[in-house]
Amino acid sequence: MSVPKRVIVVGISGATCSGKTTIARELHKLLAHSTAFCQDNYYFPVEYPNHVWIPELNHINWDIVTSLNMEKMTDDIQQLIAKESSKIPQETLIADGKQQVAYSKNDKFEYLSRINQSQYHVVIAEGFCIFNYKPLVELCDLKYYCTLEYEECLRRRVKRIYEPPDCPGYFNKCVWPEHLKQLAEVKDTVENVVYFNGNSSNQIETILKNIVQMLQ
């Protein structure tokens, strides 16, 4: 008999500065039994020999899948799934010391209570191109994509500080065109993706509701 997975993997992808990291952090804070994986932690170092350089900008293209060690990110998530799935079921799971966030009695509170009382561990995978790497997509039980219009995306991007920093022209040469390519690929090849646009509200409640539906 196979061992139940007892893990739900939530993938959150989308345009730069679209709110995906904020959503992932909020979910991780709310869910007593959760682990978050941020794609930004898997960039290859500057000295990595296989980076794609943009000659006219003298800058690395950081906005493509090959700038990241996606194999390692996927492997880390797979290892956690295996670890959590091997645990002996208990009647109740005790929160791991994370501060519990109080909400008024509403749908969000009810969803959160049911998830935190379950024996499921929620893995949150977040990054701008996680749905453009098939082995990772195949691990995701729930998939969400945050979109933004060009003007709003640029407005938010120029306020952010990156290391290494964006050079002049980088957004229009790399960031936005690569995003459009990745979004088109996701729409063509990845099923069951929920899209949040820049004006979406209740993203957290929507995700919690979908997790509860998976528990049933």
Side-chain angles (χ1 to χ4, degrees), residues 61-201:
N61 188 345
W62 296 103
D63 286 82
I64 51 179
V65 176
T66 55
S67 68
L68 299 128
N69 192 342
M70 296 302 298
E71 182 177 356
K72 168 124 175 71
M73 183 177 183
T74 303
D75 185 60
D76 287 349
I77 294 173
Q78 288 175 319
Q79 288 188 38
L80 181 66
I81 291 172
K83 176 183 175 183
E84 291 298 324
S85 298
S86 67
K87 290 182 177 179
I88 300 174
Q90 305 170 32
E91 289 188 9
T92 58
L93 291 178
I94 300 173
D96 59 4
K98 243 183 270 184
Q99 182 179 0
Q100 297 301 298
V101 179
Y103 281 102
S104 58
K105 286 284 185 180
N106 53 25
D107 286 343
K108 180 188 280 188
F109 177 87
E110 296 299 333
Y111 298 148
L112 189 59
S113 296
R114 291 186 62 181
I115 297 167
N116 284 342
Q117 290 171 15
S118 76
Q119 297 197 36
Y120 277 78
H121 191 95
V122 178
V123 172
I124 305 157
E126 175 268 318
F128 72 93
C129 61
I130 60 171
F131 297 158
N132 302 97
Y133 187 71
K134 186 176 180 181
L136 202 159
V137 175
E138 292 174 346
L139 296 179
C140 294
D141 300 294
L142 297 170
K143 298 179 282 288
Y144 304 91
Y145 198 102
C146 302
T147 64
L148 275 181
E149 294 298 324
Y150 169 86
E151 291 79 7
E152 180 62 16
C153 190
L154 177 59
R155 186 187 70 81
R156 296 183 187 184
R157 178 84 180 198
V158 297
K159 294 181 178 180
R160 297 273 294 273
I161 298 175
Y162 292 88
E163 184 55 45
D166 288 353
C167 66
Y170 181 73
F171 184 87
N172 285 325
K173 180 68 178 179
C174 294
V175 178
W176 189 250
E178 297 296 354
H179 161 64
L180 294 180
K181 291 177 188 176
Q182 291 154 6
L183 175 57
E185 181 181 334
V186 171
K187 287 183 175 181
D188 286 344
T189 64
V190 184
E191 297 180 345
N192 303 317
V193 178
V194 176
Y195 291 90
F196 296 136
N197 62 43
N199 298 316
S200 295
S201 60

Side-chain angles (χ1 to χ4, degrees), residues 199-213:
N199 298 316
S200 295
S201 60
N202 300 321
Q203 295 100 325
I204 297 295
E205 184 173 333
T206 297
I207 297 172
L208 293 176
K209 178 181 179 180
N210 293 158
I211 294 174
V212 167
Q213 290 170 340

